[in-house]
Amino acid sequence: MRQPSSTQHSQLSSSPQVTAAEISRIAGVTRATVSNWRRRHENFPVPVGGTESSPLYDLRAVQDWLENRGHTSAASPAEELRTVLRLHGGSGLAVRLMASVAAASRRTPEELAELAVAPDDELIALAAADADRLREAVPVVERVRYGAKDTAVIRALLRCVHGAGAHAALDVLAERELDESAATGTYETPGELAALMAGLLPVDAGSVFDPACGSGTLLAAAARRGAYELYGQDVVAVQAQRAAVHLLLETQPASDPTRASEPVGGWAGAATVSVGDSLRADAFSDLSVDAVLCNPPFGDRDWGHEELAYDPRWAYGPPPRSESELAWVQHALAHVASGGLAVLLLPPALASRTSARRVRAELVRSGALRAVISLPAGVAPPLHIGLHIWVLRRPEPGGAERQSVLFVSGERERESTSGGGVRKELINWSALTARVLDQWTVFSADPDAFTDEPGVARAVRVIDLLGDVVDLTPARHVRVTATDIDPETLARRVADLHSQLNEQLTALAAATVHGKWQPSPDASADAWRTATVADLARGGALTLLRGAAVLPGPQDSTCGITGPGPVLTADDVSAGRPPSGPAERLGSEATQTVAEGDVILRGDAPTGVRRPMTRVADGTDAGALLGPRLHLLRPDPARLDPWFLAGFVGTEDNIAAASTGTTAVHVNPGRLRVPLLPLEEQRRYGEAFRRVHELRVGAVRVADLAMEATGAVSAGLTTGALLPPSSDRESDSESA
């Protein structure tokens, strides 16, 4: 490793130091590119610390070197905040800043921009005053005091709220604090799953409690469902604080701080969040609510089995030491008013483990258990198993006796995609949500009149469940039997699927014939001059839309808000299908319509799953609403070819360089880089990318049809609805 001179070291050692990974994020390039710079450029800054394998560089020297090469900083506001927090080095600062996020969200963009460049003393005083106004709403946060060394972080926080939104700033602070505290098991409930679980609640559920609220995703979903009183508790202090601020942000307050209590649309309720172990130290012991939503911790052996052995909450039997989930189930029911619902996300083994049989039997016998819903693997951590949703209702004294329990199978609501020879399964959230909510709505309205749908949902009599095992696994009860299949209908369906498969195979073969690909004489992509998407937007070459935020660029009359219509979802982009999302389940924040020629980009890229990230909108997409987790890039056709843009921004290296996160990777579209090529050259590349896209979509459709056809044939053969086809020898003898 090259060592700096003593003069250089004395000049640089007092400056912030960054790793090669942080340089790659600042410059918007890959780690490999930074390594190449170190080897190929003698004037690249020398390390000022660290080790041979993990050197540290002076931040100012790196920024000067990048500026001299024409590389403007591509770090997103969230990434800048993350870096500044690390460089600050102080512990506990992230917690002290959480209330400041809510305070900053109540200011106009103009005020935030002015504060970011205000003098240090003015910035410190105003930030502390803003945080103090909301301090009591955030649990276990002392009166905030800032010093001169905190100004850089406060400025970065204001820029993050201004540029990326308050939720992004809150997530960065929480991540930093969780990393420092080494807290485990703090997984966030995905927004789609939270919306599904909240959708199971009645619309008149005004008060909702989450005894393991985490970051507050479930409570926020309940607020969007119509709840106006929210209560939460979490054993991890930073998670409780994060949830409290999350719910404060849901109020969408007026920009004038003097009118902070006056909501502008959205949620106008009240939230109370506490810190503590809900089972051992219930902060809401006397609370009775309309509903409980909860994603409790799994497999916890130290949940208080001995000290809570005679707790009055165990109305359905003492939970065994190994069944902490049953303690959470009964804790939830204890907080629900008579007739109220409790919806919990639970591990699948709870439905059949022998140690949980007695409590399961009592939940079924009493009529408390109303439904068990199976989900595909990957909906939430732990991602390798398919979780279950249990829907429970606290029995009403003298109420009607419950005769059946609903079982719904959502395990098949997945889509297949292929890439690099690896086949991956994606979750079809719109279909999964529709399947679950439709079945539950019909069943809850009149359980006795519910009609079973083979392979999807079945209402099973209580008496039939109370056997030796009391197995509540949906797959055991929903499976298709021979009596559920009409042989004639199945035979016609198999023939139709085989016909479609042959057509798609022919089309796929045709998509591979496009002439000979020529090797490039200069295979180095470094030879191209590139610009970030953010730079192109500032220059007017495209418009970048991130929800409500619009960067300057050419405008189009189709950008306006329209009435309800189909929604283009992230899964639609990956599967190459037309818009399929229902508008009635879309949040009010998504009002942007899609125009033909727009480039649609997924805003997430789960690790380990290779999936199409971009596509160019065609006539079937035009007029659709832009769904969650999507970004829209609208190019000026006189300067950018849409397919050229989609092809380059969607490459794996580009996505990796512009992404943050580990399990759920979030893409910052402004950091994506695009080569600066003449329009005619762009069109050549664009046509090639269009062909690649057609080939990819064709492969996905063929794979889907093949899986559906083989599944139908297998079901028919195993249930006796289909007979194997005659062999050629048997056919010849019959004809003779």
Side-chain angles (χ1 to χ4, degrees):
M1 180 172 68
R2 289 180 296 158
Q3 296 295 331
S5 66
S6 58
T7 303
Q8 287 175 312
H9 191 276
S10 64
Q11 291 174 341
L12 301 179
S13 60
S14 61
S15 301
Q17 298 174 357
V18 292
T19 64
E22 287 166 336
I23 294 174
S24 70
R25 290 193 288 266
I26 292 171
V29 298
T30 63
R31 285 284 303 277
T33 301
V34 176
S35 298
N36 286 336
W37 286 345
R38 290 181 57 195
R39 292 194 302 268
R40 295 170 54 187
H41 299 284
E42 288 295 328
N43 63 341
F44 189 81
V46 295
V48 297
T51 64
E52 180 70 32
S53 60
S54 182
L56 294 174
Y57 302 87
D58 175 71
L59 176 60
R60 295 191 186 95
V62 169
Q63 290 172 331
D64 290 343
W65 188 86
L66 291 172
E67 185 176 352
N68 291 334
R69 285 181 52 85
H71 278 278
T72 57
S73 176
S76 67
E79 192 59 44
E80 180 187 357
L81 175 59
R82 187 176 287 108
T83 300
V84 173
L85 278 169
R86 188 193 71 80
L87 297 175
H88 181 276
S91 61
L93 178 61
V95 170
R96 290 193 288 128
L97 286 170
M98 281 196 175
S100 298
V101 174
S105 72
R106 295 169 181 253
R107 295 193 170 275
T108 65
E110 293 76 17
E111 289 173 330
L112 290 173
E114 291 176 4
L115 279 175
V117 296
D120 287 0
D121 55 348
E122 179 182 338
L123 179 67
I124 290 173
L126 192 56
D130 275 351
D132 278 350
R133 274 198 289 270
L134 295 171
R135 180 172 57 88
E136 293 183 0
V138 183
V140 198
V141 173
E142 302 297 331
R143 184 172 297 276
V144 177
R145 289 291 180 266
Y146 299 117
K149 67 175 184 178
D150 301 328
T151 54
V153 181
I154 297 172
R155 293 185 198 280
L157 175 67
L158 294 172
R159 286 193 291 269
C160 186
V161 174
H162 182 209
H167 286 286
L170 180 63
D171 290 344
V172 172
L173 295 179
E175 290 168 9
R176 175 66 181 173
E177 186 64 23
L178 288 171
D179 287 343
E180 289 183 348
S181 63
T184 59
T186 55
Y187 302 112
E188 185 173 2
T189 305
E192 298 93 336
L193 178 58
L196 190 160
M197 293 175 66
L200 293 165
L201 302 181
V203 293
D204 59 352
S207 55
V208 177
F209 174 45
D210 184 350
C213 64
S215 62
T217 308
L218 284 169
L219 290 175
R224 289 189 286 271
R225 176 71 171 167
Y228 48 83
E229 289 182 20
L230 302 178
Y231 302 89
Q233 184 171 352
D234 200 274
V235 68
V236 180
V238 64
Q239 288 290 78
Q241 294 153 1
R242 183 184 190 181
V245 176
H246 188 173
L247 297 175
L248 283 174
L249 297 177
E250 289 292 321
T251 61
Q252 296 294 319
S255 58
D256 182 353
T258 63
R259 297 162 52 227
S261 62
E262 185 176 328
V264 179
W267 186 62
T272 304
V273 181
S274 295
V275 178
D277 185 331
S278 288
L279 295 181
R280 287 188 172 97
D282 189 357
F284 303 96
S285 57
D286 297 326
L287 178 67
S288 180
V289 293
D290 297 329
V292 168
L293 283 176
C294 189
N295 178 2
F298 301 162
D300 182 11
R301 295 274 180 153
D302 185 26
W303 58 270
H305 175 260
E306 289 82 4
E307 62 224 76
L308 300 175
Y310 302 103
D311 197 285
R313 288 172 292 183
W314 314 148
Y316 303 90
R321 180 191 299 276
S322 61
E323 302 296 343
S324 62
E325 297 86 5
L326 289 178
W328 287 101
V329 166
Q330 297 191 72
H331 176 69
L333 283 171
H335 279 289
V336 175
S338 295
L341 287 185
V343 179
L344 291 89
L345 185 69
L346 299 168
L350 185 65
S352 58
R353 280 196 298 249
T354 303
S355 56
R357 182 183 64 83
R358 290 189 178 182
V359 177
R360 283 201 307 269
E362 192 56 35
L363 289 169
V364 171
R365 185 180 294 108
S366 66
L369 183 67
R370 304 305 304 125
V372 180
I373 300 157
S374 63
L375 302 173
V379 298
L383 299 175
H384 64 287
I385 61 175
L387 301 173
H388 289 176
I389 295 175
W390 284 27
V391 183
L392 305 106
R393 187 186 301 274
R394 184 166 182 174
E396 301 173 80
E401 185 178 356
R402 306 297 180 181
Q403 300 291 335
S404 59
V405 176
L406 175 68
F407 293 90
V408 181
S409 173
E411 299 172 23
R412 298 182 182 179
E413 294 301 345
R414 304 179 68 84
E415 295 174 342
S416 301
T417 184
S418 301
V422 179
R423 183 179 178 82
K424 297 294 183 180
E425 297 289 329
L426 311 179
I427 297 168
N428 185 338
W429 277 107
S430 58
L432 175 61
T433 302
R435 166 178 285 197
V436 171
L437 296 187
D438 289 348
Q439 298 292 340
W440 169 250
T441 299
V442 174
F443 176 80
S444 58
D446 189 353
D448 296 333
F450 182 81
T451 302
D452 297 341
E453 185 175 344
V456 175
R458 189 183 299 275
V460 181
R461 295 186 306 165
V462 168
I463 191 65
D464 294 333
L465 293 172
L466 296 175
D468 294 336
V469 180
V470 193
D471 192 338
L472 304 179
T473 306
R476 176 184 176 90
H477 303 286
V478 178
R479 67 181 185 273
V480 178
T481 63
T483 58
D484 297 322
I485 299 177
D486 176 47
E488 292 291 338
T489 301
L490 181 59
R492 287 194 298 269
R493 177 166 170 257
V494 169
D496 181 60
L497 287 171
H498 283 166
S499 176
Q500 293 181 49
L501 183 58
N502 287 328
E503 292 177 5
Q504 287 295 328
L505 284 170
T506 302
L508 183 62
T512 63
V513 182
H514 288 297
K516 184 178 180 181
W517 297 90
Q518 301 295 329
S520 171
D522 183 5
S524 174
D526 289 341
W528 283 332
R529 289 179 57 243
T530 63
T532 65
V533 166
D535 289 336
L536 292 173
R538 282 190 288 268
L542 59 82
T543 300
L544 172 60
L545 294 137
R546 313 176 192 177
V550 183
L551 291 179
Q555 299 301 313
D556 191 291
S557 60
T558 59
C559 292
I561 298 174
T562 64
V567 177
L568 182 66
T569 69
D571 289 335
D572 295 336
V573 173
S574 295
R577 68 185 179 208
S580 66
E584 61 270 17
R585 293 197 179 100
L586 191 66
S588 59
E589 70 278 2
T591 54
Q592 175 61 47
T593 55
V594 177
E596 190 169 357
D598 288 345
V599 175
I600 311 300
L601 168 72
R602 284 190 65 119
D604 60 349
T607 55
V609 180
R610 302 180 64 180
R611 60 176 67 182
M613 294 293 293
T614 59
R615 90 172 191 213
V616 176
D618 56 20
T620 60
D621 301 322
L625 290 171
L626 189 69
R629 299 181 292 121
L630 291 177
H631 300 284
L632 186 150
L633 287 69
R634 179 166 291 149
D636 180 351
R639 300 174 63 181
L640 282 174
D641 179 79
W643 279 108
F644 165 82
L645 179 63
F648 275 100
V649 302
T651 60
E652 288 188 35
D653 285 347
N654 213 353
I655 293 293
S659 301
T660 57
T662 53
T663 303
V665 178
H666 301 285
V667 181
N668 180 351
R671 292 174 53 195
L672 295 166
R673 304 195 76 87
V674 181
L676 300 177
L677 300 180
L679 187 59
E680 285 303 317
E681 190 72 4
Q682 290 182 35
R683 288 171 178 159
R684 287 184 57 213
Y685 276 91
E687 178 61 19
F689 281 125
R690 184 186 63 80
R691 293 172 179 174
V692 170
H693 177 78
E694 290 176 351
L695 183 62
R696 178 187 293 121
V697 171
V700 169
R701 289 174 180 167
V702 166
D704 288 343
L705 281 170
M707 292 299 292
E708 188 176 357
T710 55
V713 171
S714 297
L717 291 173
T718 55
T719 58
L722 293 180
L723 295 175
S726 301
S727 64
D728 294 339
R729 182 178 300 175
E730 290 173 344
S731 299
D732 292 341
S733 62
E734 289 175 2
S735 60

